[in-house]
Amino acid sequence: TSLPIGTLMACTWDPALIERLHRLEGQELLLNRVDCWLSPGMNIHRHPLCGRNFEYFSEDPLLTGMMAAAVVRGVQSVGVGATPKHFAANNQEHRRHDADSRVSERALREVYLKGFEIVVKAAHPAAIMTSYNPINGRHSANAYDLTTTILRDEWGFDGLVTTDWWTFGEHYRETKAGNDIKMAAGYPERIKEAYEKGLITEAEIRLSARRILNMILKID
């Protein structure tokens, strides 16, 4: 079923309506044996030519967070996991694997992270997807401060973190930062090699494994 685009949904200013709509979407996902939905996209509108603006809600982080929370609550009300993305500051599509988002901590927290903070605290999504882009020189999937210190320690997120598809980061570094899954396939041989070299600990590997198993138990 084709849903209204994210921007149009945000134009309703009606979280209850959006939650009802996505309860139906969750039921359709169940019928199609989809356990975890890679949505909602909730990056901030910064430029009218961004190729995925239609998928995102708004230039306003509060409206973005409230709409995304409604989507997550609706989908997850029937037992399907939701995965808000792309965490964070994925502000363009062109060369987004290596377009470095240079941003102050204040702007990051007040604009680009605020929507994600709202959705985590208001809707408790099953998963979060990190973004391709570096933020101030470090890829988001490799950023411990982002995926562990802020997301888990400050906001209390207790779900699974996945990378976007085919990120450029080294797998073991992403695991150490707090990413539990490297999509689409990962590189287990590199994790093993890093472990044998002492670059990642058994405890760090087990932590990610535990979060993956918890996710399976939640949605199976």
Side-chain angles (χ1 to χ4, degrees), residues 10-67:
C11 287
T12 68
W13 295 77
D14 191 342
L17 174 64
I18 303 309
E19 185 172 340
R20 285 171 51 205
L21 173 66
H22 284 83
R23 190 174 299 116
L24 296 173
E25 173 64 18
Q27 292 168 351
E28 183 174 67
L29 291 165
L30 285 176
L31 289 173
N32 286 278
R33 302 175 65 85
V34 175
D35 296 318
C36 194
W37 195 37
L38 302 181
S39 190
M42 50 183 304
N43 292 110
I44 296 296
H45 291 180
R46 290 189 65 246
H47 193 283
L49 297 183
C50 177
R52 289 173 78 174
N53 272 349
F54 70 94
E55 185 178 345
Y56 308 140
F57 295 107
S58 173
E59 75 283 359
D60 179 80
L62 175 60
L63 182 58
T64 293
M66 298 299 288
M67 291 294 116

Side-chain angles (χ1 to χ4, degrees), residues 43-100:
N43 292 110
I44 296 296
H45 291 180
R46 290 189 65 246
H47 193 283
L49 297 183
C50 177
R52 289 173 78 174
N53 272 349
F54 70 94
E55 185 178 345
Y56 308 140
F57 295 107
S58 173
E59 75 283 359
D60 179 80
L62 175 60
L63 182 58
T64 293
M66 298 299 288
M67 291 294 116
V71 169
V72 171
R73 284 194 300 266
V75 168
Q76 295 193 163
S77 68
V78 299
V80 176
T83 310
K85 60 184 184 182
H86 308 83
F87 187 65
N90 176 193
N91 298 326
Q92 66 182 57
E93 288 302 295
H94 180 61
R95 296 184 64 187
R96 67 188 183 120
H97 278 90
D98 51 10
D100 191 3

Side-chain angles (χ1 to χ4, degrees), residues 66-152:
M66 298 299 288
M67 291 294 116
V71 169
V72 171
R73 284 194 300 266
V75 168
Q76 295 193 163
S77 68
V78 299
V80 176
T83 310
K85 60 184 184 182
H86 308 83
F87 187 65
N90 176 193
N91 298 326
Q92 66 182 57
E93 288 302 295
H94 180 61
R95 296 184 64 187
R96 67 188 183 120
H97 278 90
D98 51 10
D100 191 3
S101 298
R102 297 290 175 133
V103 57
S104 69
E105 181 179 356
R106 179 174 179 178
L108 192 63
R109 287 183 177 272
E110 292 184 359
V111 179
Y112 302 107
L113 296 184
K114 180 56 68 176
F116 287 99
E117 180 181 5
I118 292 169
V119 78
V120 165
K121 293 180 177 179
H124 309 287
I128 293 285
M129 181 190 290
T130 51
S131 56
Y132 286 131
N133 55 283
I135 301 173
N136 296 331
R138 175 174 294 183
H139 281 90
S140 65
N142 289 355
Y144 184 91
D145 286 346
L146 187 67
T147 59
T148 296
T149 302
I150 293 176
L151 180 61
R152 298 186 189 280

Side-chain angles (χ1 to χ4, degrees), residues 197-217:
K197 291 179 178 180
L199 299 174
I200 188 171
T201 66
E202 181 177 339
E204 290 169 324
I205 296 171
R206 284 182 176 272
L207 181 59
S208 283
R210 184 182 303 118
R211 291 193 287 239
I212 293 168
L213 293 173
N214 284 339
M215 173 75 165
I216 293 170
L217 291 172

